[in-house]
Amino acid sequence: MKRVVMKFGGTSLGNARRIRRVAEIVKENMAEETVVVVSAMGGVTDSLIKTSERVVEGISETEIKEFVGDVREKHLAAIKDVVDSKYQSLPVLEVEKLCSELEKVLIGVSYVGELTPRSMDHIMSFGERLSAPIVSGALNSLGIKSRWFDGYSAGIVTDSNFGKASPIWHLTEKKVADTLGPILGDSIPVVTGFIAGNEKGRITTLGRGGSDYTASILGSVLRADEIWIWTDVDGIMTTDPKLVKEAKTIKVISFIEAMELAYFGAKVLHPKTIEPAMERSIPVRVRNTFNVDNEGTLIVREQKKISDVVKAISVMDEVALLTIAGVGMIGVPGVAAKVFNALAKEDVNILMISQGSSEANISIVIDQKDMEKAIGTIRDVFLGRNIVRDVHQKSDVAIIAVVGAGMRGTKGVAARVFTAVADAGVNVLMIAQGSSEVNISFVVQEKDAEMAARALHQEFIQ
Ligand code: ADP
Ligand code: ASP
Ligand code: MG
C-alpha cells in the first residue's frame, strides 16, 4: 500500500484549463492512498494582500465590493468550466459563502483602519479556501471520490505566530490521523495549503509559499511514502531559471543540499519543507505540471555518488546588512550574545553572521522588512554605553549561496568561488563565518546578484 502527498502550486492552478490538467495529473499518478494539497489560484494571494493594504489606506466600500465581485467571478467561472454540472452545487455554495465572508472581513478592516497579522492571516486564507473546492470538484468530475478540507479542519494545529506559524506537532499528529486517516484509500482529501489554525481555531498561515510546508507536514504526520511538489519548472534547478536561462534540472539531491538552497532563496521550496521529510526519511519529488514527461528532481537522504563539487547556486534578495561597530566591543564578553538575544526577543530572524577578528564590528544579515525593528532594539540595548559606537544598515543587498555536498573535503572551492565573482567585477560585502560544509554564502549588492550567479554557474556547472 503506497501513500503519497501531492502539492500543486499557484501557477499550476492559474485557470480552469490548468485546474483540469491538475486533476488529470492526480488521476494518472495517484497511489492507493493520496492526499492533495493546493495553493490559491495564481495571483490570488497577492491580490488579497494588496487589497487589504489599500483597504487600510481607505478605499470605498464600493471598491471592496468590486474586488470581491472579481474574486467571486474568477472562481465561479473556473467551477463552471472544470466541474461537471452534477458536482457544481457544493463548490458554488462554498464560493458564495466565502466571498460574502471576505467582503465582511474587508469592510470590518476598513472600519477599524488597522491590519493586524491576525486579520491578515484571515484575509490571506481565502485564496486556498476558494481553490480547494474547485480542485475537489474537478476530481469528482473525473470519477474520483474527493472531499476538501481547510488546513485546520484537516488537523494542522499551530502556535499563534500569525504570518509564520509553526505546527504543534503532537496535536497535529493526532488530529490529522483522526480526520484524514479514516478516509484515505476511500477518497482523496484536497487540503488547502498554507493555512492552519491555532489551538483556539483562529486561522494562521505558515508564511508565504507555505503550501509546500503543508505538504511535508501532512507527509510527515501521515508517514507518507513520498511527497510530491508539483510546480511550474522541471524540478530543483542549478539556479533560478528566471535569472540564468542555462539552468539545468538536478536529478538527485540530498535533503541537506535542498534545505540549504531553500533556506537561501530557491523559491521552488518553502524553506521549512525539507525538515519534516528529512526527519522521517520521506523522499520528496519536485515535478513540473507543464512538462509531465520530465521526471524532475528526487530529494533523498544521501546521494551515493557525488560527481559535481557545486550542485546549485541560489540568490536571496530583500535582505539587509546590519553592522554594529565600536572599539568598545573589543574584549567585552557577551556583546554578540546581547545582540542575538535582543533580536530574538523582537522575533528578528538572523540569516547570516560575521564578526571581524578585530572584534570591532559584527555584521548580520536579516530580512529587509525587519530592519527598523532590529536597529531600534539594538540602539535601545547598547547606545550610550560606550560599547557600540554605531549601528549602520545597508539595504539592497543579496545573499548568494553556493551549495554542494561535494564541497566537503574538496580543496580550493572557496578560491574558485571568489575568483569567479571578482572576475565578474562583483564586490563581496560579507562572507559568512562557519557556514555549513555544503554551503559557501556571501553578500553582494542586489544589483550585482544576477551577474554573480551567472559567473558562478559558468564556473561550476557548465
Ligand atoms: P509554486 O506556485 O508552484 O509554489 P513558486 O513560484 O513558489 O511555484 O516556485 C517556483 C519558482 O521558483 C520557479 O518558477 C523559479 O523561478 C523559482 N526558483 C528559484 N530558484 C530555483 C531553483 N533552484 N530551481 C527551480 N526553481 C527555482
Ligand atoms: N498562496 C500562498 C502564497 O502565495 C501559499 C503558496 O502558494 O504556497 O504565498
Ligand atoms: Mg511556492
Side-chain angles (χ1 to χ4, degrees), residues 39-40 45 128 194 208-211:
S39 291
T45 311
E128 273 72 9
F194 180 50
R208 291 303 309 270
S211 299

PDB file of all heavy atoms in Angstrom, residues 39-40 45 128 194 208-211, ligand 2:
ATOM      1  N   SER A  39      -2.483  25.189  -3.480  1.00  0.00           N
ATOM      2  CA  SER A  39      -2.302  26.623  -3.229  1.00  0.00           C
ATOM      3  C   SER A  39      -3.535  27.361  -3.728  1.00  0.00           C
ATOM      4  O   SER A  39      -4.421  26.767  -4.343  1.00  0.00           O
ATOM      5  CB  SER A  39      -1.109  27.145  -4.018  1.00  0.00           C
ATOM      6  OG  SER A  39       0.080  26.639  -3.520  1.00  0.00           O
ATOM      7  N   ALA A  40      -3.524  28.672  -3.523  1.00  0.00           N
ATOM      8  CA  ALA A  40      -4.552  29.524  -4.125  1.00  0.00           C
ATOM      9  C   ALA A  40      -4.323  29.577  -5.638  1.00  0.00           C
ATOM     10  O   ALA A  40      -3.212  29.322  -6.102  1.00  0.00           O
ATOM     11  CB  ALA A  40      -4.435  30.918  -3.541  1.00  0.00           C
ATOM     12  N   THR A  45      -3.458  35.244  -3.823  1.00  0.00           N
ATOM     13  CA  THR A  45      -2.915  35.671  -2.515  1.00  0.00           C
ATOM     14  C   THR A  45      -2.354  37.089  -2.609  1.00  0.00           C
ATOM     15  O   THR A  45      -2.624  37.931  -1.750  1.00  0.00           O
ATOM     16  CB  THR A  45      -1.809  34.696  -2.043  1.00  0.00           C
ATOM     17  OG1 THR A  45      -2.301  33.366  -2.165  1.00  0.00           O
ATOM     18  CG2 THR A  45      -1.417  34.970  -0.599  1.00  0.00           C
ATOM     19  N   GLU A 128      -6.692  29.951  -0.691  1.00  0.00           N
ATOM     20  CA  GLU A 128      -6.676  28.484  -0.669  1.00  0.00           C
ATOM     21  C   GLU A 128      -8.067  27.921  -0.384  1.00  0.00           C
ATOM     22  O   GLU A 128      -8.450  26.883  -0.917  1.00  0.00           O
ATOM     23  CB  GLU A 128      -5.684  27.978   0.381  1.00  0.00           C
ATOM     24  CG  GLU A 128      -4.239  27.832  -0.091  1.00  0.00           C
ATOM     25  CD  GLU A 128      -3.507  29.151  -0.319  1.00  0.00           C
ATOM     26  OE1 GLU A 128      -4.059  30.210   0.045  1.00  0.00           O
ATOM     27  OE2 GLU A 128      -2.395  29.121  -0.875  1.00  0.00           O
ATOM     28  N   PHE A 194      -0.824  26.147   3.089  1.00  0.00           N
ATOM     29  CA  PHE A 194      -0.524  27.481   3.607  1.00  0.00           C
ATOM     30  C   PHE A 194      -1.273  27.867   4.870  1.00  0.00           C
ATOM     31  O   PHE A 194      -0.773  28.600   5.685  1.00  0.00           O
ATOM     32  CB  PHE A 194      -0.828  28.487   2.476  1.00  0.00           C
ATOM     33  CG  PHE A 194      -0.600  29.934   2.734  1.00  0.00           C
ATOM     34  CD1 PHE A 194       0.603  30.395   3.258  1.00  0.00           C
ATOM     35  CD2 PHE A 194      -1.585  30.879   2.408  1.00  0.00           C
ATOM     36  CE1 PHE A 194       0.815  31.765   3.449  1.00  0.00           C
ATOM     37  CE2 PHE A 194      -1.387  32.236   2.599  1.00  0.00           C
ATOM     38  CZ  PHE A 194      -0.181  32.679   3.123  1.00  0.00           C
ATOM     39  N   ARG A 208       4.656  32.987   3.462  1.00  0.00           N
ATOM     40  CA  ARG A 208       4.451  32.961   2.006  1.00  0.00           C
ATOM     41  C   ARG A 208       5.097  31.712   1.395  1.00  0.00           C
ATOM     42  O   ARG A 208       6.170  31.298   1.793  1.00  0.00           O
ATOM     43  CB  ARG A 208       5.048  34.228   1.351  1.00  0.00           C
ATOM     44  CG  ARG A 208       4.337  35.520   1.654  1.00  0.00           C
ATOM     45  CD  ARG A 208       2.867  35.528   1.275  1.00  0.00           C
ATOM     46  NE  ARG A 208       2.498  35.129  -0.054  1.00  0.00           N
ATOM     47  CZ  ARG A 208       2.385  35.951  -1.100  1.00  0.00           C
ATOM     48  NH1 ARG A 208       2.624  37.226  -0.959  1.00  0.00           N
ATOM     49  NH2 ARG A 208       2.003  35.497  -2.282  1.00  0.00           N
ATOM     50  N   GLY A 209       4.416  31.151   0.436  1.00  0.00           N
ATOM     51  CA  GLY A 209       4.918  29.932  -0.190  1.00  0.00           C
ATOM     52  C   GLY A 209       4.714  28.695   0.682  1.00  0.00           C
ATOM     53  O   GLY A 209       5.252  27.621   0.412  1.00  0.00           O
ATOM     54  N   GLY A 210       3.894  28.838   1.741  1.00  0.00           N
ATOM     55  CA  GLY A 210       3.794  27.787   2.760  1.00  0.00           C
ATOM     56  C   GLY A 210       3.046  26.521   2.366  1.00  0.00           C
ATOM     57  O   GLY A 210       3.009  25.568   3.151  1.00  0.00           O
ATOM     58  N   SER A 211       2.477  26.470   1.176  1.00  0.00           N
ATOM     59  CA  SER A 211       1.772  25.231   0.799  1.00  0.00           C
ATOM     60  C   SER A 211       2.723  24.047   0.694  1.00  0.00           C
ATOM     61  O   SER A 211       2.338  22.904   0.968  1.00  0.00           O
ATOM     62  CB  SER A 211       1.053  25.402  -0.547  1.00  0.00           C
ATOM     63  OG  SER A 211       0.104  26.410  -0.440  1.00  0.00           O
TER      64      SER A 211
HETATM   65  N1  ASP B   2      -0.814  31.044  -1.682  1.00  0.00           N
HETATM   66  C1  ASP B   2       0.280  31.198  -0.748  1.00  0.00           C
HETATM   67  C2  ASP B   2       1.263  32.226  -1.270  1.00  0.00           C
HETATM   68  O1  ASP B   2       1.092  32.759  -2.352  1.00  0.00           O
HETATM   69  C3  ASP B   2       0.933  29.902  -0.403  1.00  0.00           C
HETATM   70  C4  ASP B   2       1.617  29.175  -1.542  1.00  0.00           C
HETATM   71  O2  ASP B   2       1.400  29.498  -2.705  1.00  0.00           O
HETATM   72  O3  ASP B   2       2.375  28.240  -1.257  1.00  0.00           O
HETATM   73  O4  ASP B   2       2.205  32.527  -0.579  1.00  0.00           O
END
